[in-house]
Amino acid sequence: MGKQVYVEIPVRAPLERLWELTQDPQNHPRWDLRFTAIIPAPGTAPQEFRYEFRLPLHTIHGTGTSLGTRGQGKATSVLKFTTRDVLSPIGPGAGYWRYVPGPDGIRFITGYHFSPGWGPLGR
């Protein structure tokens, strides 16, 4: 049984700047509280990464793969992620970000599908 999340929000910023801020693994934990660190694997395409979420007495570890494309004034980024950590609130899943330019900036669209963690409690 999976869960789906869809969010769309206008962002008043140039596409290049929004892409830079959202695709940089160093910046990502600043605005996405599900991660404490995202560590890219050097030289992989699609980009492989591992992530951490530090709790007071435990650090959740996971892995993922992402791929981004830009062209014709639009951009899309897709990713898959997983963890074997039973304490993770989010299990395996996949998602995307779409950057659609408009007259007042960028429509930033995201969708995710994931399995909840924590076994029966998470469902």
Side-chain angles (χ1 to χ4, degrees), residues 52-55 57-61 85:
E52 298 176 351
F53 180 60
R54 290 184 199 107
L55 300 169
L57 299 174
H58 179 73
T59 299
I60 294 168
H61 296 272
D85 193 318

Short mmCIF file of all heavy atoms in Angstrom, two decimals, residues 52-55 57-61 85:
data_model
loop_
_atom_site.label_atom_id
_atom_site.label_comp_id
_atom_site.label_asym_id
_atom_site.label_seq_id
_atom_site.Cartn_x
_atom_site.Cartn_y
_atom_site.Cartn_z
N GLU A 52 21.13 10.74 4.75
CA GLU A 52 21.05 10.53 6.19
C GLU A 52 19.98 11.43 6.77
O GLU A 52 19.76 12.54 6.29
CB GLU A 52 22.39 10.87 6.87
CG GLU A 52 23.54 10.04 6.42
CD GLU A 52 24.86 10.48 7.05
OE1 GLU A 52 24.91 11.56 7.70
OE2 GLU A 52 25.86 9.75 6.88
N PHE A 53 19.35 10.93 7.80
CA PHE A 53 18.43 11.74 8.61
C PHE A 53 18.78 11.44 10.06
O PHE A 53 18.53 10.35 10.56
CB PHE A 53 16.98 11.42 8.31
CG PHE A 53 16.02 12.24 9.13
CD1 PHE A 53 16.02 13.62 9.05
CD2 PHE A 53 15.14 11.62 10.00
CE1 PHE A 53 15.14 14.37 9.82
CE2 PHE A 53 14.26 12.37 10.77
CZ PHE A 53 14.26 13.75 10.68
N ARG A 54 19.40 12.41 10.71
CA ARG A 54 19.88 12.20 12.08
C ARG A 54 18.78 12.48 13.09
O ARG A 54 18.20 13.56 13.12
CB ARG A 54 21.08 13.11 12.35
CG ARG A 54 22.30 12.69 11.58
CD ARG A 54 23.53 13.52 11.91
NE ARG A 54 24.50 13.37 10.85
CZ ARG A 54 24.79 14.32 9.96
NH1 ARG A 54 24.22 15.50 10.03
NH2 ARG A 54 25.66 14.09 9.01
N LEU A 55 18.53 11.48 13.92
CA LEU A 55 17.63 11.59 15.05
C LEU A 55 18.48 11.67 16.32
O LEU A 55 19.69 11.41 16.26
CB LEU A 55 16.70 10.38 15.09
CG LEU A 55 15.82 10.17 13.86
CD1 LEU A 55 15.16 8.81 13.91
CD2 LEU A 55 14.80 11.28 13.76
N LEU A 57 19.03 9.69 18.82
CA LEU A 57 19.76 8.49 19.20
C LEU A 57 20.03 7.54 18.03
O LEU A 57 20.51 6.42 18.25
CB LEU A 57 19.00 7.73 20.30
CG LEU A 57 18.77 8.50 21.59
CD1 LEU A 57 17.89 7.71 22.53
CD2 LEU A 57 20.10 8.86 22.25
N HIS A 58 19.70 7.97 16.82
CA HIS A 58 19.83 7.07 15.68
C HIS A 58 19.90 7.90 14.40
O HIS A 58 19.27 8.95 14.29
CB HIS A 58 18.60 6.14 15.62
CG HIS A 58 18.61 5.20 14.48
ND1 HIS A 58 19.43 4.12 14.40
CD2 HIS A 58 17.86 5.19 13.34
CE1 HIS A 58 19.20 3.46 13.28
NE2 HIS A 58 18.25 4.09 12.62
N THR A 59 20.67 7.43 13.42
CA THR A 59 20.71 8.06 12.10
C THR A 59 20.14 7.10 11.08
O THR A 59 20.60 5.95 10.97
CB THR A 59 22.15 8.45 11.72
OG1 THR A 59 22.65 9.39 12.68
CG2 THR A 59 22.19 9.08 10.34
N ILE A 60 19.13 7.54 10.36
CA ILE A 60 18.53 6.76 9.29
C ILE A 60 19.38 6.93 8.04
O ILE A 60 19.75 8.05 7.69
CB ILE A 60 17.08 7.22 9.03
CG1 ILE A 60 16.22 6.91 10.26
CG2 ILE A 60 16.51 6.56 7.78
CD1 ILE A 60 14.86 7.56 10.24
N HIS A 61 19.70 5.82 7.38
CA HIS A 61 20.49 5.84 6.15
C HIS A 61 19.65 5.29 5.01
O HIS A 61 18.86 4.36 5.20
CB HIS A 61 21.74 4.98 6.29
CG HIS A 61 22.69 5.47 7.33
ND1 HIS A 61 23.66 6.39 7.04
CD2 HIS A 61 22.81 5.19 8.63
CE1 HIS A 61 24.35 6.65 8.15
NE2 HIS A 61 23.85 5.93 9.14
N ASP A 85 16.10 0.76 6.78
CA ASP A 85 15.99 1.15 8.19
C ASP A 85 14.54 1.09 8.64
O ASP A 85 13.70 1.83 8.14
CB ASP A 85 16.56 2.54 8.39
CG ASP A 85 16.78 2.89 9.84
OD1 ASP A 85 15.90 2.57 10.67
OD2 ASP A 85 17.82 3.48 10.14
#
